[in-house]
């Protein structure tokens, strides 16, 4: 008996579509090497030469090292703050009963229920009042604050399933509360912490609206997305520089995706359960 | 007694040390701004000048009686939500059903569908602007097909279609992953048993797979609906609500009211109305999908 693998037409279509799904990215990539005239004449063709001239020009003219530096700084700081503070708060809130604990939890969780757009106006106002507009530190504070609710919520749910006995053992052995947390509890939270870090890294790297609201017109402190938007979104876009810029802005995300693929998919699924 | 008090004080100190920093961050960036909304919403104010005129509930009355653009944006948001939720869920579920078969080829396919989701909205918007602009222009010259010569971002109906298409293209992978997680969790025995009983593929899908993945379906419906309701970045970066306000979403309308028209008081009032809208939709949605889950 010969086993014949049947592929349904639907499966075939979906597999073929997956190849076409990345067509837009591929088109941007091949066109990023062409002079503008060739984009208009031979949109689908491969470039005549794979010269990196336009990339180099975009790199220096639009101050890419500074932009990437800013974005990296924002992402690292935001993720560090969230990864340090969110598990501490989530752990203590999950383990403490009482009014104060309840109130703190509600304060942290509340923002998850209201859309960002409904308080962004007054947030901008508040930041301006404190003199933090256009300020790197100001942006990091806000960005960490925006990532905090979901992070605390997810870790809080996770802590509930961590057995309390280990902590009691540590306590009997004479470890203080702080030491118990860092030596015993934190390592146990690693899976959910990875998820949180992945989600917040992508969110901060790709953020545009918060950066725009807080950084305002300060070109020195813009992140890469905001700068791309400011420089290239006009009607008569300078595509010769815009395309290399787009490609360079995407490379870090793609590399991150390749290395973290498993965690990204897991992280997104876990993050979706926020209701 | 004294020792006990001391222990209690220490416990509170540790609680504060652990919890208050996170609370401070959230207070600063969301809770306090949200409460400030309540305050500003009863004033007529341009956001800069010192004199704020107290108008009571007048802002809210104006929203409901005078603001035609707000209602236009509400209609757009509703229309967009219907299209987006239906299209993205049907497509991603279909893709997930095929991609959930554990084969090497499908893991590559999954990645392909997923990649647009991790790219920033700025890049995505610029990419589509380029394709619909110079790209289509070039294709029109080569093929002569009128299709490529349509004014995709210049006419209301087409721009609406482009926004739906682009958001579906970007987000499909995300919903696909959620559905795959649900499908993989369906016990294999159930499906085998049904097959032995003579069920066809479609029957298995309808009677077993779909009911078993109801939780995934409700999560995806909920997230896609809230995504659609809060549609903002896409509009800001991509169409700016144009042409002629045909793609203006509620969230973008609020943003414009504050930062373009400089009517802070009015904008904060609108954002409170918006919060109520989103909450109502969320509650209804949860009720509906929960009831479906019980039936299944």
């Amino acid at each position: 008996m010969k086993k014949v693998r049947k592929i349904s037409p639907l499966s075939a279509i979906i597999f073929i579509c997956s190849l076409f799904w990345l067509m837009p990215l591929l088109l941007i990539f091949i066109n990023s090497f062409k002079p503008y005239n060739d984009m208009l004449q031979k949109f689908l063709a491969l470039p005549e030469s794979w010269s990196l001239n336009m990339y180099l020009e975009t790199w220096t003219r639009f101050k890419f090292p500074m932009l990437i530096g800013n974005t990296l700084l924002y992402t690292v700081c935001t993720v560090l703050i969230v990864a340090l503070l969110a598990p501490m708060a989530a752990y203590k809130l999950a383990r403490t009963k009482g009014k104060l604990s309840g109130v703190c939890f509600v304060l942290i969780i509340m923002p998850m229920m209201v859309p960002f757009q409904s308080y962004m106006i007054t947030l901008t106002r508040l930041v301006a009042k404190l003199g933090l507009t256009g300020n790197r530190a100001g942006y990091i504070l806000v960005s960490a604050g925006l990532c905090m609710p979901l992070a605390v919520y997810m870790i809080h749910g996770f802590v509930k399933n961590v057995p309390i006995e280990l902590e009691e053992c540590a306590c009997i052995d004479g470890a203080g509360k702080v030491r118990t947390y860092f030596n015993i509890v934190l390592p146990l939270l690693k899976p959910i912490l990875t998820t949180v870090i992945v989600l917040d890294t992508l969110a901060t790297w790709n953020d545009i609206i918060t950066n725009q609201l807080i950084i305002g017109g300060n070109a020195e402190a813009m992140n890469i997305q905001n700068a791309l938007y400011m420089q290239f979104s006009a009607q008569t876009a300078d595509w010769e520089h815009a395309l290399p810029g787009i490609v360079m802005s995407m490379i870090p995300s793609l590399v991150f995706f390749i290395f973290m693929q498993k965690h990204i998919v897991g992280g997104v699924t876990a993050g979706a359960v926020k209701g | 007694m004294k020792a006990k008090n001391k222990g209690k004080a220490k416990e509170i100190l540790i609680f504060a040390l652990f919890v208050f920093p996170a609370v401070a961050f959230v207070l600063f960036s969301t809770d306090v701004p949200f409460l400030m909304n309540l305050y500003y919403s009863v004033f007529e104010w341009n956001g800069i000048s010192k004199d704020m005129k107290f108008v009571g509930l007048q802002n809210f009355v104006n929203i409901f009686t005078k603001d035609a653009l707000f209602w236009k944006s509400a209609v757009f948001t509703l229309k967009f939500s219907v299209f987006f939720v239906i299209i993205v869920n049907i497509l991603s579920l279909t893709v997930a059903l095929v991609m959930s078969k554990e084969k090497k080829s499908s893991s590559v396919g999954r990645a392909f569908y997923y990649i647009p989701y991790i790219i920033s909205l700025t890049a995505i918007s610029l990419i589509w602007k380029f394709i619909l602009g110079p790209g289509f222009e070039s294709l029109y010259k080569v093929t002569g097909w009128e299709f490529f010569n349509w004014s995709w971002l210049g006419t209301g109906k087409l721009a609406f279609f482009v926004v739906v298409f682009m958001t579906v293209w970007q987000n499909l992978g995300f919903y696909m992953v959620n559905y795959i997680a649900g499908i993989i969790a369906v016990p294999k025995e159930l499906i085998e048993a049904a097959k032995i009983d003579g069920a066809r593929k479609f029957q298995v899908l309808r009677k077993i797979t779909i009911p078993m993945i109801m939780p995934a379906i409700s999560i995806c419906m909920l997230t896609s609906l809230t995504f659609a309701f809060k549609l903002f970045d896409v509009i800001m970066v991509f169409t700016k609500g144009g042409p002629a306000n045909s793609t203006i979403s509620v969230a973008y309308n609020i943003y414009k009211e504050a930062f373009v028209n400089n009517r802070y008081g009015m904008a904060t009032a609108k954002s409170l109305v918006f919060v109520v809208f989103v909450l109502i939709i969320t509650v209804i949605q949860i009720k509906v999908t929960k009831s479906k889950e019980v039936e299944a």
Side-chain angles (χ1 to χ4, degrees):
Chain A
M1 273 238 300
K2 216 164 100 185
K3 205 175 166 192
V4 183
R5 268 216 105 112
K6 266 201 293 185
I7 295 177
S8 72
L10 181 68
S11 307
I13 292 170
I14 284 171
F15 274 102
I16 294 168
C17 275
S18 76
L19 298 177
F20 279 99
W21 211 251
L22 294 186
M23 267 299 261
L25 304 187
L26 197 67
L27 285 171
I28 293 300
F29 181 73
I30 57 177
N31 279 288
S32 67
F33 290 95
K34 296 178 195 169
Y36 188 66
N37 257 341
D38 279 11
M39 293 179 195
L40 286 180
Q41 304 302 326
K42 295 166 244 171
F43 177 58
L44 296 176
L46 289 177
E48 272 158 24
S49 79
W50 295 90
S51 129
L52 283 172
N53 282 344
M54 267 312 171
Y55 274 83
L56 291 173
E57 207 181 306
T58 311
W59 179 261
T60 45
R61 192 195 291 181
F62 295 97
K63 297 194 182 145
F64 259 77
M66 182 192 82
L67 295 176
I68 290 178
N70 281 343
T71 319
L72 205 61
L73 175 80
Y74 296 150
T75 309
V76 169
C77 290
T78 303
V79 169
L80 276 181
I81 293 174
V82 174
L84 176 72
L85 299 183
M88 287 173 80
Y91 160 72
K92 209 67 195 162
L93 287 170
R95 290 285 190 246
T96 318
K97 303 274 176 288
K99 255 193 193 143
L100 182 62
S101 170
V103 170
C104 288
F105 190 59
V106 169
L107 280 177
I108 294 182
I109 297 308
M110 192 198 81
M112 283 171 57
M113 278 166 262
V114 292
F116 172 67
Q117 295 86 3
S118 70
Y119 51 82
M120 69 182 179
I121 301 160
T122 32
L123 170 65
T124 317
R125 192 70 215 145
L126 180 66
V127 170
K129 259 191 190 161
L130 296 173
L132 291 170
T133 304
N135 181 309
R136 288 192 179 87
Y139 174 70
I140 293 170
L141 291 179
V142 170
S143 146
L146 291 177
C147 291
M148 204 65 83
L150 180 63
V152 172
Y153 180 75
M154 285 167 64
I155 303 171
H156 188 268
F158 190 88
V159 171
K160 283 185 194 153
N161 298 325
V162 174
I164 202 165
E165 286 78 15
L166 284 171
E167 291 156 47
E168 286 166 354
C169 285
C171 185
I172 290 166
D173 288 346
K177 299 255 154 132
V178 177
R179 191 152 158 220
T180 309
Y181 169 76
F182 280 103
N183 285 1
I184 310 285
V185 179
L186 198 56
L188 292 172
L189 300 181
K190 204 179 147 200
I192 192 76
L193 207 54
T194 317
T195 300
V196 165
I197 289 172
V198 163
L199 283 179
D200 289 342
T201 304
L202 281 176
T204 318
W205 186 273
N206 288 338
D207 169 59
I208 169 169
I209 180 64
T210 318
N211 193 265
Q212 201 159 78
L213 292 175
I214 307 298
I215 294 303
N218 181 2
E220 295 291 305
M222 280 181 185
N223 73 0
I224 195 167
Q225 316 300 344
N226 191 3
L228 270 186
Y229 169 73
M230 296 303 270
Q231 273 149 3
F232 298 117
S233 79
Q235 278 300 320
T236 47
D238 168 12
W239 290 115
E240 272 180 308
H241 291 101
L243 294 191
I246 296 170
V247 173
M248 287 190 284
S249 83
M250 290 191 309
I251 289 173
S253 309
L254 291 174
V255 172
F256 186 71
F257 175 77
I258 291 167
F259 283 105
M260 303 293 283
Q261 196 178 357
K262 225 164 109 193
H263 299 291
I264 287 180
V265 171
V268 169
T269 329
V273 200
K274 57 187 165 184
Chain B
M1 199 63 196
K2 217 177 169 187
K4 201 181 165 196
N5 271 343
K6 212 177 159 192
K8 182 114 191 179
K10 200 182 168 198
E11 205 149 279
I12 290 179
L13 187 73
I14 287 184
F15 180 84
L17 177 77
F18 272 69
V19 175
F20 286 0
V23 172
F25 269 95
V26 180
L27 278 179
F28 166 65
S29 62
T30 59
D31 287 337
V32 169
F34 185 73
L35 291 176
M36 283 165 74
N37 257 346
L38 298 175
Y39 174 72
Y40 285 122
S41 66
V42 289
F43 287 97
E44 192 184 301
W45 184 44
N46 65 6
I48 307 155
S49 85
K50 285 236 163 84
D51 63 325
M52 296 164 63
K53 199 173 133 211
F54 180 78
V55 291
L57 295 178
Q58 195 56 45
N59 281 335
F60 294 93
V61 175
N62 285 349
I63 294 172
F64 285 96
T65 54
K66 284 188 194 155
D67 200 325
L69 191 57
F70 184 75
W71 294 103
K72 192 172 181 182
S73 71
V75 170
F76 167 80
T77 305
L78 277 174
K79 220 169 82 177
F80 172 80
S81 306
V82 171
F83 276 84
F84 178 77
V85 170
I86 292 177
I87 296 177
V88 89
N89 278 289
I90 291 182
L91 284 184
S92 59
L93 181 56
T94 317
V95 173
L97 283 168
V98 172
M99 291 293 168
S100 59
K101 291 170 193 155
E102 288 152 275
K103 276 181 246 153
K104 277 219 174 113
S105 52
S106 65
S107 83
V108 175
R110 283 183 211 181
F112 282 5
Y113 278 111
Y114 195 79
I115 282 174
Y117 185 72
I118 56 155
I119 292 170
S120 75
L121 222 121
T122 320
I124 297 276
S125 300
L126 287 171
I127 287 172
W128 282 101
K129 262 192 183 163
F130 175 74
I131 293 176
L132 295 169
F136 271 26
E137 201 181 318
S138 158
L139 291 174
Y140 174 65
K141 274 183 206 149
V142 177
T143 60
W145 295 349
E146 218 28 62
F147 171 85
F148 290 120
N149 202 24
W150 291 349
S151 172
W152 286 94
L153 290 173
T155 39
K157 274 185 187 162
L158 291 178
F160 175 82
F161 174 76
V162 169
V163 172
V164 173
F165 178 83
M166 194 183 89
T167 43
V168 168
W169 175 75
Q170 191 192 8
N171 290 287
L172 187 132
F174 168 78
Y175 298 100
M176 174 199 73
V177 164
N178 280 291
Y179 280 127
I180 289 178
I183 293 168
I184 288 177
V186 176
K188 294 263 179 323
E189 300 81 40
L190 275 180
I191 294 174
E192 271 163 33
K195 275 188 182 155
I196 292 169
D197 289 347
R200 288 157 175 271
K201 259 191 183 166
F202 187 68
Q203 278 175 316
V204 172
L205 178 68
R206 217 169 60 103
K207 301 274 180 184
I208 295 178
T209 313
I210 301 269
M212 289 297 288
I213 59 167
M214 240 8 242
I217 294 181
S218 46
I219 287 170
C220 287
M221 296 288 278
L222 181 68
T223 25
S224 55
L225 193 67
T226 33
F227 169 87
F229 251 74
K230 297 181 203 168
L231 183 74
F232 173 67
D233 315 37
V234 183
I235 301 298
M236 188 191 84
V237 182
F238 196 52
T239 65
K240 293 203 185 335
N245 291 321
S246 57
T247 60
I248 189 160
S249 71
V250 175
Y252 186 65
N253 178 270
I254 294 170
Y255 169 88
K256 259 182 96 171
E257 194 76 271
F259 298 112
V260 181
N261 304 343
N262 286 324
R263 296 201 299 179
Y264 265 66
M266 187 64 170
T268 47
K270 278 184 177 180
S271 42
L272 287 176
V273 174
F274 181 51
V275 171
V276 174
F277 270 146
V278 172
L279 283 182
I280 291 175
I281 289 291
T282 316
V283 169
I284 293 176
Q285 172 73 29
I286 291 174
K287 284 247 159 77
V288 169
T289 42
K290 273 273 148 54
S291 69
K292 281 262 160 56
E293 265 174 63
V294 175
E295 265 173 49

